[in-house]
Amino acid sequence: MNQSKLVEKENSKADLIGQKIDQNDIDDQSSNDQSSELPTAEFIKAWLIDHLSKTLEIAPEKIDETTVLDRYGLDSLAATVLTGDLADWLGFDVEFTLFYDYPTISAVATYLEENLKAENQVDTTEISQSHSPINLSKEVVLDPELTYGERKYLLPKETQTIFLTGSTGFLGAFLLAKLLKQTQAEIYCLVRAENLDSGHHRIRENLTFYRLWEIEFSHRVKPILGDLAQTNFGLSADQFQSLAEHVEVIYHGGALLNYIYSYEQLKPINVIGTQEVLRLASIGLPKLLHYISSTAVFDYHRIAYGQPRVNERTSLNCTEGMYLGYSQSKWVAEKLVHIAMERGLIAHIYRPGFIGGHSQTGIVNHQDIIWRLINGSIQMGCIPEMDMELTVNPIDQVSQNIVALSRHNWPSSEIFHLTPPPHLSWNNLGHLIQDYGYPIQSLPLEQWLGRLEQIAISEATNPLYPLLPFFLKRWSFEQLTMLELMQLRKSPQIDCQETLNKLDQITQSNPTYPTGRDLWHAHFDYLINQGVLSRPNSKV
């Protein structure tokens, strides 16, 4: 890539780092000549600020080198592209996990300055080893001022006001639609927007995309303009208090689901956001909290538990083998809810597993990792062989069960597992893809990872390109990729029998949902009709 297109002289950039920097200076610093002076942290910061300001259309002076970059809108795709551009400028390969491990400009620049060698090479093995593991137990700190002991919640005959986070997400859209259909409550939805009209528009468009919107919903959807990552959601003290005095029940489903972000990047929304929800529950009207957690809180540490199955009563006291930032953030967030429960809050916790699309329409969140993996593998012409069972729960079933369980008057806090038995093995999914007429071959996992590194890196249009850090980063002392760790350690099987028994108690008739191949067929048909997947040559 032409360096002159990447870095140009800008007075604002020079002012930011306190010295005159021009194009020739940076070109000289990034020369491939081993005898040349290596780029300093200040030059790398200047390049990153300049590049980000143009890519994200943000004034350079508004970019803080210590702020986590995703707060500026740097998503996983943009981060991967930025890594490639940085490698082009410096003239050597940069590890794809660079912005995963070092999520701020300052951290990236310091790391590169300290680790550049005379031959302009980075010892990439140090990236994974240089970080001390996060002590997640020390992250579990709930504001001591949040107490609930004298706040007895009495379930009203019919809930009148609900506060919902996550309404512009996938599960959040279906939860909102179910609540609107099955209650008469006004639903206050936290949403990031400039004004109430745009906030309402965001919520309506999300429901419309998933074919859920009904005109009758309009007057009962009440946008609350705020941000989960900010204290009091960014509301004034009076606004926050007014909200607390008004709502009776909280459904907290808002979270950032990203498989390449670190714990530090996910903490503001997933952890701090949960604390702020618990803050809302601690003041004003006594409130019941419904918290959407995840089976990811048990990720890949069956050996540590010493048992192949975990149920609703299994203690949440282990993080061994938990490497994904998302899993770590959900573990810490749920532990905060447990602390609030110990202080007197009545809260129900729901742990879905992998959520599939709608059982009838086939509508899926095609940005989810499994659909990217399927789509990317189809484009590559090969799929990895993995000894893994797939448990897919239709989104309409998950949302219906959450609403049904949440509307029952349980005498105390409960935990629910929303995970049906496995429907299909991963290798059988490969056969299903072949049955659709896609010319795809199965490869041993190690060979597939090698093919991914060769093909996807050079094909930025491949859906797996933004997820390369997830697939290629090596973890633990074994230096295995995430898929290899999944094969080696396995995740414990999630037992949901207690939840199924409770559902039988409270519902007169449980609708049946398609499973296995029928459910996957519905998803494939939707993705093909939407143009997400290329149309196959033939279908068996």
Side-chain angles (χ1 to χ4, degrees):
M1 185 176 292
N2 191 320
Q3 295 175 15
S4 64
K5 293 182 179 180
L6 293 174
V7 183
E8 299 173 355
K9 181 173 64 177
E10 282 197 14
N11 291 334
S12 58
K13 175 183 64 184
D15 293 339
L16 184 65
I17 64 174
Q19 57 179 301
K20 180 71 172 180
I21 300 176
D22 65 22
Q23 181 64 50
N24 291 331
D25 291 333
I26 296 179
D27 285 344
D28 288 343
Q29 286 264 316
S30 60
S31 170
N32 290 332
D33 184 351
Q34 294 184 5
S35 63
S36 65
E37 183 181 356
L38 295 175
T40 65
E42 292 303 318
F43 272 86
I44 295 172
K45 289 178 189 178
W47 184 91
L48 287 169
I49 290 171
D50 176 80
H51 200 85
L52 284 166
S53 70
K54 295 173 182 175
T55 302
L56 304 178
E57 298 182 351
I58 300 173
E61 60 270 16
K62 292 185 178 181
I63 298 177
D64 182 356
E65 66 182 53
T66 62
T67 296
V68 175
L69 290 172
D70 67 89
R71 299 298 293 166
Y72 295 116
L74 186 75
D75 58 20
S76 54
L77 174 59
T80 305
V81 173
L82 178 61
T83 302
D85 290 347
L86 181 60
D88 286 345
W89 176 60
L90 291 173
F92 62 83
D93 292 336
V94 174
E95 181 70 22
F96 271 97
T97 61
L98 183 65
F99 287 95
Y100 180 103
D101 294 291
Y102 302 94
T104 68
I105 289 174
S106 178
V108 169
T110 300
Y111 168 78
L112 290 176
E113 181 184 52
E114 292 176 352
N115 289 275
L116 284 171
K117 305 257 183 215
E119 64 273 26
N120 284 9
Q121 291 292 330
V122 178
D123 183 1
T124 56
T125 61
E126 294 183 7
I127 291 182
S128 296
Q129 298 171 355
S130 61
H131 276 39
S132 298
I134 297 172
N135 187 331
L136 294 178
S137 295
K138 291 186 176 180
E139 290 289 308
V140 184
V141 179
L142 183 64
D143 187 339
E145 294 184 0
L146 306 188
T147 58
Y148 313 86
E150 298 179 359
R151 299 168 48 75
K152 181 66 175 176
Y153 176 79
L154 298 175
L155 187 71
K157 185 175 182 180
E158 182 64 36
T159 301
Q160 299 298 312
T161 52
I162 292 171
F163 179 68
L164 172 67
T165 68
S167 62
T168 56
F170 183 50
L171 176 57
F174 282 84
L175 270 180
L176 175 57
K178 294 287 185 185
L179 289 169
L180 287 166
K181 295 279 281 188
Q182 297 182 30
T183 76
Q184 296 301 312
E186 291 185 333
I187 304 181
Y188 292 80
C189 301
L190 187 69
V191 59
R192 283 180 292 181
E194 294 183 358
N195 52 56
L196 292 177
D197 286 342
S198 60
H200 199 281
H201 178 77
R202 280 197 67 197
I203 297 166
R204 184 176 67 250
E205 287 300 297
N206 191 48
L207 266 66
T208 300
F209 180 81
Y210 293 118
R211 305 178 190 174
L212 299 170
W213 180 255
E214 297 180 15
I215 190 64
E216 294 80 8
F217 294 164
S218 291
H219 70 284
R220 290 170 50 211
V221 174
K222 309 292 184 181
I224 298 293
L225 306 183
D227 186 341
L228 266 178
Q230 297 184 28
T231 301
N232 291 349
F233 310 136
L235 303 176
S236 69
D238 288 344
Q239 290 173 323
F240 194 74
Q241 183 68 38
S242 176
L243 181 65
E245 296 287 355
H246 198 58
V247 296
E248 301 165 334
V249 177
I250 300 173
Y251 287 79
H252 177 36
L256 180 57
L257 174 55
N258 188 297
Y259 288 107
I260 71 168
Y261 279 5
S262 64
Y263 171 79
E264 291 89 348
Q265 290 172 288
L266 295 166
K267 178 179 178 178
I269 292 178
N270 294 0
V271 177
I272 302 303
T274 299
Q275 173 170 272
E276 295 312 298
V277 166
L278 294 171
R279 188 184 308 281
L280 183 70
S282 72
I283 61 175
L285 293 176
K287 299 173 190 63
L288 177 63
L289 170 65
H290 300 287
Y291 171 64
I292 313 301
S293 183
S294 168
T295 57
V297 297
F298 294 117
D299 262 2
Y300 314 128
H301 45 260
R302 177 164 60 177
I303 296 174
Y305 271 94
Q307 54 187 330
R309 298 170 71 88
V310 294
N311 61 26
E312 295 89 341
R313 299 182 185 276
T314 302
S315 61
L316 201 65
N317 58 9
C318 175
T319 58
E320 182 179 335
M322 185 181 288
Y323 296 104
L324 287 180
Y326 174 72
S327 302
Q328 294 169 339
S329 68
K330 293 300 285 186
W331 186 88
V332 173
E334 185 177 323
K335 292 287 280 186
L336 295 181
V337 176
H338 282 277
I339 292 176
M341 290 159 60
E342 292 170 359
R343 296 181 188 176
L345 176 67
I346 302 259
H348 302 321
I349 297 172
Y350 306 83
R351 295 176 182 152
F354 172 67
I355 300 176
H358 194 279
S359 63
Q360 303 300 320
T361 66
I363 290 177
V364 302
N365 175 14
H366 67 268
Q367 297 294 341
D368 207 343
I369 188 170
I370 194 165
W371 308 117
R372 283 183 173 273
L373 180 54
I374 291 171
N375 195 4
S377 293
I378 289 173
Q379 291 189 26
M380 291 169 60
C382 58
I383 191 168
E385 296 173 354
M386 293 190 288
D387 178 19
M388 184 172 67
E389 295 294 321
L390 290 172
T391 300
V392 179
N393 211 358
I395 182 66
D396 44 326
Q397 182 178 15
V398 174
S399 55
Q400 175 56 41
N401 286 344
I402 291 175
V403 172
L405 290 164
S406 70
R407 298 191 70 205
H408 185 75
N409 188 10
W410 305 105
S412 60
S413 297
E414 297 283 350
I415 297 176
F416 304 105
H417 282 176
L418 305 173
T419 51
H423 298 150
L424 192 71
S425 72
W426 175 264
N427 291 332
N428 282 337
L429 176 60
H431 299 321
L432 186 150
I433 295 173
Q434 293 171 341
D435 289 347
Y436 258 77
Y438 292 106
I440 190 170
Q441 66 176 134
S442 297
L443 290 180
L445 179 56
E446 185 177 357
Q447 292 184 26
W448 183 84
L449 289 169
R451 184 78 66 87
L452 173 67
E453 190 165 9
Q454 294 172 0
I455 294 178
I457 287 177
S458 61
E459 297 180 8
T461 57
N462 189 293
L464 296 179
Y465 186 82
L467 295 175
L468 289 179
F470 171 82
F471 290 107
L472 300 181
K473 180 178 173 64
R474 297 192 175 274
W475 307 81
S476 77
F477 67 91
E478 300 117 322
Q479 287 294 285
L480 297 175
T481 65
M482 185 56 63
L483 294 184
E484 289 170 331
L485 280 170
M486 291 166 63
Q487 295 294 284
L488 175 67
R489 299 187 175 180
K490 309 293 184 188
S491 186
Q493 185 174 343
I494 307 297
D495 189 312
C496 60
Q497 192 56 52
E498 288 190 18
T499 301
L500 293 177
N501 292 341
K502 288 183 170 68
L503 282 168
D504 287 339
Q505 294 172 19
I506 66 176
T507 56
Q508 295 180 349
S509 62
N510 290 322
T512 58
Y513 296 87
T515 60
R517 296 176 72 89
D518 290 340
L519 182 61
W520 287 96
H521 283 185
H523 296 348
F524 273 89
D525 288 343
Y526 170 77
L527 292 169
I528 291 169
N529 290 333
Q530 293 296 308
V532 177
L533 294 180
S534 60
R535 194 165 294 277
N537 296 328
S538 62
K539 179 178 175 181
V540 178

